[in-house]
Amino acid sequence: MIPFEQIRKVMIEGLTSHLGVPIIELDGRGETPPYPFMTYSFTDEGSPIGHMAVTAGGDQLIHFGTVSISVAFQSYTRTRLDSVELANRARDWFLTEGHWVLKDGAGAVVFDVGPSQNLDLQIGEEWERRNGFEVDLRAANVITAPLQPIDEVNLKGVDSHG
């Protein structure tokens, strides 16, 4: 199983602590906090990379593979400059401290941090100042299943060797 909730928890708690602003799920429940804040959204929740390796351990089959996870972040502020600065501070965290926080706390590795892009949106006469970027992670996907050994095999039509 992909440690999805652990990755989300470690990432959001670490980034919230670093930035000092709320980070909420995009299109999540609840009220929108006052500016400034950030949103996150998982855009890829675990695409497999390559084939899974299978080993037997005791009475278990262990399937081990790697998955790619992508998360989009957006800053929301009152001014354009504040939006750029907040998004860049978040990006910097993933490139430095966040890389180690995710690796040690959730077993996920940051392998790409995309550029910060202007995502401003005009709502009526007002502008919502937003900047966004995407982070790509790699994590382990470990699936265990009971080992079901074959005790007997009946081979018909095979010549004996002895």
Side-chain angles (χ1 to χ4, degrees):
M1 186 167 139
I2 302 167
F4 191 75
E5 176 55 23
Q6 182 67 15
I7 292 168
R8 188 202 65 76
K9 181 179 184 291
V10 167
M11 180 173 54
I12 300 308
E13 286 178 359
L15 191 55
T16 299
S17 174
H18 175 74
L19 296 175
V21 300
I23 300 173
I24 62 170
E25 186 175 10
L26 184 65
D27 299 329
R29 295 182 193 153
E31 292 188 26
T32 302
Y35 294 124
F37 66 93
M38 289 197 75
T39 62
Y40 71 94
S41 173
F42 285 90
T43 57
D44 183 344
E45 298 163 347
S47 294
I49 299 170
H51 296 285
M52 296 187 89
V54 181
T55 59
D59 62 349
Q60 297 284 314
L61 274 181
I62 303 161
H63 303 257
F64 180 86
T66 303
V67 294
S68 171
I69 299 170
S70 297
V71 190
F73 289 90
Q74 290 185 36
S75 63
Y76 291 75
T77 66
R78 293 206 184 281
T79 70
R80 177 86 189 99
L81 183 58
D82 288 344
S83 179
V84 171
E85 183 178 319
L86 183 58
N88 285 340
R89 285 180 53 221
R91 283 185 73 251
D92 290 348
W93 182 80
F94 283 102
L95 293 168
T96 57
E97 180 186 352
H99 170 84
W100 297 107
V101 168
L102 281 160
K103 180 182 168 291
D104 296 340
V109 176
V110 175
F111 77 89
D112 189 37
V113 179
S116 180
Q117 298 178 331
N118 179 0
L119 301 171
D120 288 352
L121 179 66
Q122 187 173 15
I123 304 172
E125 304 223 359
E126 300 278 325
W127 280 91
E128 186 172 72
R129 301 300 181 181
R130 303 184 306 179
N131 255 61
F133 64 95
E134 195 160 303
V135 175
D136 294 318
L137 310 168
R138 289 206 174 131
N141 183 17
V142 180
I143 303 168
T144 58
L147 178 64
Q148 298 176 352
I150 299 171
D151 294 326
E152 261 183 54
V153 177
N154 184 6
L155 300 176
K156 293 184 180 183
V158 177
D159 295 330
S160 65
H161 293 288

